[in-house]
Amino acid sequence: MTAASARLLLLGTAGAARRLAGIVAGVAVAVAMLIVLLGTYLHMPDRDERTAWQVLVGERLETSADGTTTAPDPTTDQMLIASRQDYVHGQLVTVTAAAVSPATDVAFPHGLEPLVPGQFYASPAVADMIDHLPADQFADRYGELVGTLPDAMLRGPDERSVLVGAPWETVASNPNARVQPGFDTVGQRYDVTTYRVILAIGSIAMLVPIVLLISIVSQLGAAQRRERLATVRLIGAGRRAVAGLSALEMGAATAAGAVLGVLAALPLRAVASTLSINGAQSFPADLTPSPAWVIATIAGVTVLGAAVAWWQAYRDDVGAPGASRERAEKRVTGWRVTTLGVGLTLFAGSAWVANTSPAASAAAAVVLIASFAVLTFGIIIAGPWLTRAVSSAYGRVAARASAVVAAGRLTRHPRSTFRSVAGLVAAVFIVSVFAGVVSSVRAITVPSEEPGMLSLDVVLAHADAAHADAMVAAARDADGVERVVVGYRPGDPDAAGVVMDAQDARAIGATAVPDAAAVMVDTFAMLWGTSLDVDAQAPVPEPADGTEGLEPAVVMAVTDGSPAAIERARTALDIAGDRSLAPTSRTDAAAGGAADITQELAVLAYIGMAIAIGISALALAVATIAAALERRRTFGLLRLAGMPVAQLRGVVATEAAVPLASTLVASAGLGFLVAWILVITLGNGLEFTWPDGRYWVALVGSTALAALAVAASFGTVRRSTEIDSTRFE
Amino acid sequence: MADALISASGLRKSFGPTAALRGIDLDVARGEVLAVMGPSGSGKSTLIHCLAGVLAPDEGTVTIDGTDLTSLSADARARFRLERIGFVFQFGQLLPDLSARDNVALPLLMGGARRRAAVATADHWLGRLGLADQAGKSPGDMSGGQAQRVAIARALATEPSVVFADEPTGSLDSLSAETVLEAMLEAARESATTVVLITHDARTAAHADREVIVRDGRLSGAAAVAR
Ligand SMILES: Nc1ncnc2c1ncn2[C@@H]1O[C@H](COP(=O)(O)OP(=O)(O)OP(=O)(O)O)[C@@H](O)[C@H]1O
Ligand SMILES: [Mg+2]
């Protein structure tokens, strides 16, 4: 028998078009996502390369014991550069200050004109903020806006950064400043491993449902042509030949889907570029892999599709007619849970090692991620066992005809019934882990007034003797400032804290202030907390001798708490100060934490999960239809004997609902367990917090999609069992 | 026939251009065992599908126990089949995923019986067909003859008025065919169930009370060979 004649027998059968359309659509969605993920992955380092100019690479200034710095005199072949993190209305702005001599030879990046003191360039996002905010709240901090930083100097379109021209002496007095011959062009390859690992996990999360979809659709193909395949086998086609045909068909469909996916990735980039990654949105080019990678992706997905279909057809070989009798699957045993146990042990172990011995943490991180993959895999392996256990218990109590039929099928075919829902179950596991971790991190980063901590209304600026008076005066003049507090450096250089008036200490939020005229307060601890712990102990002020003869160390403005007043106080203190560090507040301290990063990861995770859940729901729909077609004879007989269609639908729905219900709860539970392990070992004293509404939306959404997917098969169930379309002999 | 359980008149049924039934009149008495014979493709299966209300004839009427099936909706006919009719086919009619017991209990459950009662009834009928020790087995682990006896137990378990059997022993060797047939007819006669039995085999037909022959969609010449 030639391949050509086999093709005639197999291809172009009823339902083939719809089945392949399902594959094309599913693959297209997944490949579109994959392409964008891949582009992001590949261009991750470019983003840092573009911001190389912000990196301080030169020699540090000489600093004497009392903190004063010595800088070289201005020359035409050198610059001084310093940077600081500024905040405005809760947004971080990266400020790079450059000082050059008037006739400098130092080239500014990308052909920008050298800046003179008082001028600055701003990124488009900052320029936009300047347009919308009064100058005394923001723009006054930097001077005169003379141009925009080009895209080639930004990590992403929403990056907030400014390049400020500063007087030589100002930067020279900044202990963090560097002397360098020009702006750096190499950049610092920041560690983007975490992001890359997450992107890799995201891609796997995308591939798992697509592999399941392909395998399920191949199964549907086999179900639709069972008789034909059996005939082809009888005529003499080998098992491999039949599998080869199936691979050919699926390869063509996945290739078409992959090409469509690449086309769909173009508009998808526009949406994806608005997502924040590593603190900035992306330029579309950052999400676009090179043509070679695109071709490799199409080829890889095609080969994967063909291989899965080949294996599926080879394993599920129907054999010649008569030879095939419906058999139960091989019995699944409790051993299947061991993978899960191994994964969990590895996971907890490596998390513990990463936590306790920093030296081994890099290796532990790799094991951590590997064991995460093992865990995900373990859920899919253990699923059939759990399905069988639950459904055989269910079969014993089942009372309705539809329940008895479904339980019989589930107990004897736990693998294939679980496979229909495996994608959803795995997606729910991953989303539960993310949700558990993310909500725990966020729990401490929403700042609130806490007794003993710096009041949220206070702006704190570092000061020295030379600037303190001007800072106090400027702060007093700012609208909305109610009190200005000065903290002095104590005589004992080892003492932690600053000395101030007891009344002042109370005004900035200190509690348990002793009955003394002057007290020593640890403003640093009041600002940052003594640890990342939610229940950080507020520092306890101690009595002090007085402020007489001490040098000012900090100036604090107590405002009326309005955002405008806070920004005005910040601007006033900044202009009058030494410009080495930006004035700050406890809100900034919180905003600068891990919260933003985790939040952006959460958004990415939820989007990825939404897509994985969508594809899994598609797979479930296909699997349900395949299962109905495979049994059209028995279903038809049941209808012949008088079973109402509603009860047949009940059978189909129960066969999806039981494995979903029995494994979904377990996988969500396991997800939270994993999140809890992560939080208590690596969370630096975080407390595990239950996830927010988005998680429950994701969970309810997947259940609703599953219900829809099952309902989508009802039409097929009815049509394929129509008495006129079934012949009984 | 005054005490006819099934009464069909003027049945015609076509599938596209193929006229499968071309005007059949047939009465079957209560408790009668009727054998339907005829060459392949002559319309035997189509006839019993029409009699059982599985197919709606293009013309003619079918009445079972005073109920005119041709006037019922598809759902009502399904309900009627569930309560009043049993089927036995040549092979492959058992649900492979269910035990013999659950297979027999299934139509009872569909009719609203409780699980415990349905299982008890199923065991009773399996016992009557000599399968008491096979109740827990699944069809895949049974011989063809055993599986057919399970199918017969299922057809009889709802105590239907009539059982339609389409070559119930067609896939069995002659020895087990004989056993299965005897088991079925004995059980049917004990409960006074009417049986309409399609067969190609004259020896099988010899067990019937009466025999009709279908040719080209009509009952041919010696329509009623009474014994
Ligand atoms: N669903 C259908 N669609 C189209 N034609 C049909 C259908 N059912 C039966 N036929 C045709 O009607 C005629 C009678 O078929 P039927 O199955 O009743 O024959 P039979 O006597 O049971 O044959 P056999 O002994 O081979 O089972 C045949 O020509 C058959 O091809
Ligand atoms: Mg027939």
Side-chain angles (χ1 to χ4, degrees):
Chain A
M1 122 163 259
T2 64
S5 57
R7 214 165 297 150
L8 273 178
L9 271 164
L10 293 184
L11 302 180
T13 50
R18 224 176 320 150
R19 184 178 74 238
L20 295 179
I23 274 288
V24 171
V27 170
V29 170
V31 165
M33 283 296 290
L34 254 177
I35 287 284
V36 173
L37 281 171
L38 184 66
T40 316
Y41 181 93
L42 293 170
H43 291 292
M44 209 74 211
D46 299 358
R47 299 148 132 293
D48 292 325
E49 212 166 85
R50 288 199 296 268
T51 50
W53 61 273
Q54 296 175 346
V55 181
L56 311 186
V57 289
E59 298 255 320
R60 285 178 179 282
L61 303 184
E62 277 172 39
T63 313
S64 62
D66 66 346
T68 56
T69 53
T70 344
D73 287 335
T75 56
T76 56
D77 59 351
Q78 279 194 320
M79 68 187 290
L80 288 180
I81 184 167
S83 70
R84 63 198 163 107
Q85 300 202 314
D86 201 356
Y87 283 90
V88 59
H89 291 291
Q91 311 266 45
L92 172 69
V93 178
T94 308
V95 180
T96 307
V100 291
S101 70
T104 187
D105 291 332
V106 171
F108 272 54
H110 295 278
L112 291 175
E113 285 292 312
L115 288 167
V116 300
Q119 293 182 333
F120 72 102
Y121 297 119
S123 68
V126 170
D128 191 53
M129 291 173 93
I130 286 172
D131 284 346
H132 290 94
L133 288 172
D136 65 349
Q137 285 185 31
F138 188 38
D140 287 354
R141 299 179 199 174
Y142 312 125
E144 182 201 355
L145 178 64
V146 294
T148 316
L149 295 170
D151 288 353
M153 290 174 68
L154 303 174
R155 194 174 291 129
D158 66 337
E159 168 154 332
R160 289 176 298 272
S161 79
V162 291
L163 175 54
V164 183
W168 191 272
E169 317 77 65
T170 307
V171 184
S173 66
N174 184 339
N176 300 315
R178 312 286 183 101
V179 193
Q180 34 187 83
F183 289 93
D184 185 41
T185 52
V186 180
Q188 181 174 330
R189 293 269 165 156
Y190 285 103
D191 188 11
V192 289
T193 321
T194 317
Y195 281 93
R196 288 191 138 186
V197 163
I198 284 160
L199 290 169
I201 289 183
S203 311
I204 292 169
M206 210 75 347
L207 280 175
V208 167
I210 206 69
V211 166
L212 285 167
L213 177 68
I214 290 170
S215 112
I216 283 166
V217 171
S218 320
Q219 195 187 354
L220 171 65
Q224 282 179 337
R225 330 173 259 206
R226 191 155 302 281
E227 291 85 10
R228 283 188 186 221
L229 284 171
T231 309
V232 171
R233 291 283 276 117
L234 185 70
I235 297 169
R239 195 175 175 183
R240 278 163 203 283
V242 171
L245 279 175
S246 183
L248 196 77
E249 178 193 61
M250 196 56 70
T254 38
V259 170
L260 268 183
V262 169
L263 295 180
L266 298 175
L268 180 67
R269 288 181 312 172
V271 182
S273 64
T274 62
L275 297 172
S276 182
I277 295 169
N278 202 2
Q281 296 176 345
S282 309
F283 295 114
D286 287 342
L287 308 177
T288 316
S290 66
W293 276 104
V294 171
I295 291 167
T297 306
I298 295 176
V301 169
T302 304
V303 169
L304 185 72
V308 171
W310 192 93
W311 174 239
Q312 184 77 35
Y314 188 78
R315 204 187 47 182
D316 289 359
D317 178 51
V318 286
S324 71
R325 224 193 218 191
E326 178 123 16
R327 266 179 303 249
E329 293 170 356
K330 244 187 285 158
R331 199 185 157 85
V332 294
T333 61
W335 279 106
R336 292 182 154 255
V337 186
T338 47
T339 318
L340 213 53
V342 168
L344 206 56
T345 314
L346 269 179
F347 188 83
S350 52
W352 181 76
V353 169
N355 182 37
T356 49
S357 65
S361 72
V366 174
V367 179
L368 196 72
I369 287 152
S371 54
F372 187 78
V374 171
L375 268 175
T376 314
F377 197 57
I379 287 174
I380 294 179
I381 293 182
W385 176 76
L386 202 58
T387 301
R388 207 192 83 86
V390 172
S391 50
S392 70
Y394 178 67
R396 258 172 262 131
V397 300
R400 297 155 53 99
S402 56
V404 170
V405 173
R409 165 87 175 174
L410 288 165
T411 313
R412 285 173 61 94
H413 300 273
R415 287 169 218 248
S416 56
T417 45
F418 174 74
R419 186 168 48 191
S420 328
V421 300
L424 277 178
V425 171
V428 163
F429 168 68
I430 300 177
V431 82
S432 302
V433 175
F434 266 100
V437 172
V438 163
S439 52
S440 302
V441 171
R442 204 174 49 154
I444 60 151
T445 50
V446 177
S448 58
E449 292 289 4
E450 278 166 53
M453 301 298 282
L454 198 66
S455 158
L456 296 179
D457 303 342
V458 172
V459 177
L460 177 149
H462 289 269
D464 54 23
H467 297 89
D469 290 345
M471 288 168 78
V472 170
R476 283 218 171 97
D477 280 351
D479 215 11
V481 172
E482 291 173 346
R483 187 186 187 109
V484 178
V485 173
V486 181
Y488 297 89
R489 202 180 311 282
D492 171 8
D494 291 336
V498 292
V499 179
M500 69 182 75
D501 221 68
Q503 283 305 326
D504 284 346
R506 288 190 190 95
I508 62 168
T511 48
V513 179
D515 240 351
V519 291
M520 184 146 87
V521 183
D522 189 346
T523 47
F524 184 80
M526 285 179 76
L527 176 63
W528 294 99
T530 45
S531 77
L532 283 174
D533 198 329
V534 201
D535 307 314
Q537 290 285 305
V540 180
E542 288 164 23
D545 291 342
T547 60
E548 215 69 6
L550 298 179
E551 283 218 349
V554 289
V555 174
M556 287 164 284
V558 184
T559 69
D560 60 15
S562 68
I566 288 173
E567 297 312 330
R568 274 193 296 268
R570 200 199 302 270
T571 308
L573 286 169
D574 189 30
I575 298 172
D578 71 358
R579 325 285 313 236
S580 60
L581 290 167
T584 186
S585 72
R586 205 156 70 81
T587 314
D588 307 339
D596 291 349
I597 306 259
T598 8
Q599 278 313 296
E600 75 188 24
L601 288 184
V603 170
L604 291 180
Y606 280 114
I607 290 173
M609 285 311 118
I611 287 167
I613 286 170
I615 295 175
S616 305
L618 181 64
L620 174 58
V622 174
T624 316
I625 290 172
L629 284 178
E630 244 167 52
R631 290 184 293 158
R632 70 194 127 184
R633 183 177 166 85
T634 32
F635 279 5
L637 277 164
L638 288 173
R639 267 189 84 180
L640 184 89
M643 189 184 236
V645 188
Q647 284 193 25
L648 274 186
R649 289 192 193 124
V651 171
V652 172
T654 310
E655 286 174 6
V658 170
L660 254 187
S662 52
T663 52
L664 211 56
V665 175
S667 80
L670 191 69
F672 288 131
L673 177 63
V674 165
W676 178 77
I677 293 174
L678 273 179
V679 168
I680 60 161
T681 53
L682 301 175
N684 275 321
L686 289 182
E687 256 181 63
F688 181 74
T689 313
W690 291 101
D692 60 15
R694 284 179 302 178
Y695 173 76
W696 303 108
V697 167
L699 208 59
V700 170
S702 5
T703 316
L705 270 176
L708 261 180
V710 171
S713 72
F714 286 168
T716 310
V717 169
R718 195 174 48 74
R719 273 191 309 278
S720 69
T721 57
E722 211 70 81
I723 286 170
D724 295 357
S725 67
T726 331
R727 304 259 288 126
F728 301 98
E729 307 287 337
Chain B
M1 223 181 274
D3 60 341
L5 176 75
I6 308 173
S7 174
S9 65
L11 289 186
R12 286 174 185 280
K13 177 78 185 174
S14 298
F15 298 101
T18 319
L21 300 182
R22 306 161 183 247
I24 285 189
D25 301 297
L26 178 67
D27 284 355
V28 184
R30 207 175 289 274
E32 187 180 22
V33 175
L34 175 74
V36 179
M37 296 188 70
S40 183
S42 56
K44 305 181 295 293
S45 297
T46 308
L47 172 62
I48 67 162
H49 283 162
C50 286
L51 293 181
V54 172
L55 289 175
D58 301 336
E59 277 176 44
T61 54
V62 176
T63 312
I64 296 184
D65 215 0
T67 307
D68 180 2
L69 292 188
T70 39
S71 71
L72 296 181
S73 69
D75 282 351
R77 274 186 282 139
R79 188 81 214 161
F80 187 85
R81 289 198 300 275
L82 181 58
E83 286 166 0
R84 309 290 299 276
I85 295 177
F87 291 95
V88 183
F89 299 100
Q90 190 170 344
F91 68 91
Q93 55 206 303
L94 299 178
L95 271 70
D97 299 328
L98 297 186
S99 65
R101 178 184 289 125
D102 280 344
N103 261 294
V104 177
L106 200 59
L108 299 161
L109 293 173
M110 287 197 275
R114 300 191 152 271
R115 180 88 184 263
R116 191 185 295 271
V119 165
T121 311
D123 282 342
H124 166 74
W125 281 98
L126 286 170
R128 280 186 70 169
L129 285 150
L131 293 165
D133 52 342
Q134 307 285 323
K137 270 198 184 172
S138 69
D141 301 335
M142 290 182 165
S143 74
Q146 288 170 332
Q148 279 312 92
R149 277 187 281 159
V150 174
I152 289 162
R154 183 169 74 184
L156 290 168
T158 52
E159 300 186 356
S161 316
V162 52
V163 169
F164 290 99
D166 195 341
E167 298 181 41
T169 58
S171 62
L172 304 177
D173 63 78
S174 54
L175 191 63
S176 35
E178 192 74 7
T179 328
V180 167
L181 196 73
E182 270 169 13
M184 175 170 89
L185 293 183
E186 191 189 318
R189 286 210 162 100
E190 265 173 41
S191 47
T193 308
T194 307
V195 176
V196 178
L197 167 72
I198 295 179
T199 179
H200 276 127
D201 181 8
R203 269 180 302 166
T204 305
H207 289 272
D209 299 326
R210 185 161 67 104
E211 179 184 317
V212 294
I213 296 168
V214 181
R215 266 201 187 89
D216 268 345
R218 294 196 183 90
L219 292 189
S220 82
V225 183
R227 283 169 209 278

